[in-house]
Amino acid sequence: MNTMFNHDVLDFEVEKVPLYQYDGSHPTYDNHYPQLASDVGSLIRRKDNKKPFAVVKDRYEVMQYKTSVQDIEIAIAQSGMDLTDASFKTNVYKGGAQLELIADFPAHAMEVDEVGYVTPKFIFRTSQDGTWANNGMMGLWRSSCWNTLVSGNKLAYVYGRHTKGFSLPAFTAKIKNAGEYIRGDAMKEMKNWFKTPLKRTDAIELFKGTLAKRTDNVSRENKHNKVILSHLMNIFDEENRHCHGRALYEGKNSRDVGSLWTAYQAATHWSTHTTKGKAKARSENLQNVRVLREERVRKMLRSKEWAKPLAIDYYEETGEVI
């Protein structure tokens, strides 16, 4: 696969090293060093020129720019987007401390909200100095600013620190979903999902009857997995905030109505965001967990629980029953 973004400007690695106690220009090692490293944290710096970026906690996970960019390029390629005349910009700031990726897809310019034509755009920002969290968007809009407030339809987003709340596989899955919406495959259906309102209470019932559904071994009754339901609703709330709300300008739990699209995004996030658990068997079979979850999402899309909001919306719009 040909590269899309400029990898030459990303030709360096970042490392996490211990902090030392300095006496003048020379480090001194004494019995207090372990306590110093534990209390203060670690230093993030470039490997090649030793340029320091930030002091971080020991749990901080170093993300190499090239690895992230390669995964994002694969996701864009697999999304089926028409790359004719597409432009890709790679901006590195502050000596490598910040990275910004921007891609425009003029071949897919379209009318999405009966106001005018918009051009699909992908934006991703991250940093090694803590100034930018992992912050990505894929959507249709006319303008955007640094704090992710957009004018248009944001179809996919991600926001999270390196140490919490960010999953690159989950974000690349969102890019693929947005690509399917944009390129025209199942366009009408996905547009209906985006425009079909879904109350939060109805989303709970949807997930209870599908992804979070389980059979109790004692009573043999259908119940729901509270952990899975809680995770799905947390993502549903975040999707609503960013796709239908005012992003970081509104509170996390201030929106009671979303859409089938944000429920779909929550479902695909759950199916791809498989993390290692304490159990060895689970940690060694994450790929199987992902396959099983993806099959459950497919079944959800064919379920009566999924069809119900579409039927209600159609009836309210036309007065007809489907």
Side-chain angles (χ1 to χ4, degrees):
M1 185 189 76
N2 295 328
T3 59
M4 301 172 185
F5 297 98
N6 185 358
H7 287 223
D8 291 339
V9 298
L10 306 175
D11 195 20
F12 64 88
E13 291 187 354
V14 175
E15 63 181 353
K16 181 172 67 174
V17 297
L19 281 172
Y20 300 114
Q21 183 177 10
Y22 278 85
D23 178 15
S25 59
H26 304 285
T28 60
Y29 303 88
D30 54 30
N31 294 331
H32 299 290
Y33 164 67
Q35 185 66 35
L36 174 68
S38 175
D39 291 346
V40 179
S42 301
L43 178 70
I44 298 296
R45 69 182 185 186
R46 286 182 60 150
K47 270 189 177 181
D48 52 2
N49 59 16
K50 310 304 179 186
K51 176 180 174 60
F53 289 142
V55 175
V56 298
K57 297 293 185 181
D58 288 337
R59 67 176 183 274
Y60 181 91
E61 298 178 10
V62 175
M63 293 180 61
Q64 303 298 343
Y65 287 153
K66 268 198 171 182
T67 301
S68 300
V69 171
Q70 287 169 353
D71 288 344
I72 288 171
E73 288 177 333
I74 291 172
I76 292 175
Q78 293 180 350
S79 70
M81 296 283 288
D82 185 347
L83 304 183
T84 303
D85 297 326
S87 63
F88 300 91
K89 297 179 181 178
T90 310
N91 300 320
V92 176
Y93 303 106
K94 297 166 62 176
Q98 296 174 324
L99 171 66
E100 178 186 53
L101 307 175
I102 302 175
D104 289 280
F105 307 98
H108 292 284
M110 67 180 72
E111 184 180 22
V112 72
D113 53 9
E114 300 179 355
V115 176
Y117 281 88
V118 292
T119 301
K121 179 178 290 190
F122 169 82
I123 300 176
F124 181 80
R125 300 185 184 101
T126 187
S127 69
Q128 300 290 358
D129 63 357
T131 54
W132 290 346
N134 295 299
N135 186 345
M137 299 180 288
M138 180 79 162
L140 306 156
W141 54 71
R142 299 174 186 81
S143 62
S144 63
C145 56
W146 292 90
N147 51 25
T148 77
L149 188 66
V150 299
S151 172
N153 292 104
K154 193 191 308 182
L155 304 177
Y157 94 98
V158 68
Y159 181 88
R161 297 290 176 183
H162 288 219
T163 54
K164 183 180 180 182
F166 176 74
S167 167
L168 191 57
F171 181 45
T172 53
K174 288 184 179 183
I175 295 175
K176 294 176 186 177
N177 292 344
E180 290 176 3
Y181 183 110
I182 291 168
R183 74 172 187 255
D185 292 0
M187 166 72 83
K188 184 177 180 180
E189 182 178 28
M190 287 188 170
K191 274 192 173 183
N192 284 339
W193 294 352
F194 196 91
K195 295 178 180 179
T196 301
L198 185 66
K199 295 179 181 178
R200 195 174 188 277
T201 51
D202 293 334
I204 293 173
E205 295 305 313
L206 166 66
F207 293 138
K208 275 185 178 181
T210 54
L211 303 181
K213 183 179 178 180
R214 70 176 181 86
T215 301
D216 184 82
N217 291 331
V218 177
S219 65
R220 296 181 179 176
E221 295 177 352
N222 289 330
K223 297 189 177 181
H224 65 275
N225 185 306
K226 293 183 179 180
V227 174
I228 293 177
L229 181 61
S230 176
H231 176 72
L232 287 167
M233 292 309 300
N234 180 56
I235 301 302
F236 179 71
D237 288 338
E238 279 293 298
E239 293 291 333
N240 293 334
R241 178 187 182 193
H242 284 264
C243 292
H244 298 299
R246 296 183 297 119
L248 300 180
Y249 281 100
E250 72 177 34
K252 180 179 178 181
N253 298 316
S254 60
R255 192 162 291 273
D256 293 326
V257 180
S259 66
L260 277 181
W261 174 258
T262 53
Y264 174 63
Q265 288 287 54
T268 54
H269 179 281
W270 169 77
S271 67
T272 55
H273 192 191
T274 53
T275 56
K276 292 183 178 180
K278 293 182 179 179
K280 182 179 180 181
R282 173 181 170 82
S283 297
E284 293 177 350
N285 290 280
L286 291 181
Q287 68 279 8
N288 296 331
V289 173
R290 185 175 295 114
V291 170
L292 292 173
R293 289 186 178 185
E294 289 173 350
E295 178 59 27
R296 293 184 69 177
V297 172
R298 282 191 286 271
K299 288 182 178 179
M300 180 191 76
L301 298 179
R302 300 192 298 267
S303 69
K304 64 180 186 298
E305 288 85 0
W306 182 262
K308 183 178 179 181
L310 288 168
I312 293 174
D313 185 62
Y314 183 81
Y315 176 77
E316 290 179 345
E317 185 174 324
T318 66
E320 300 177 3
V321 177
I322 59 173

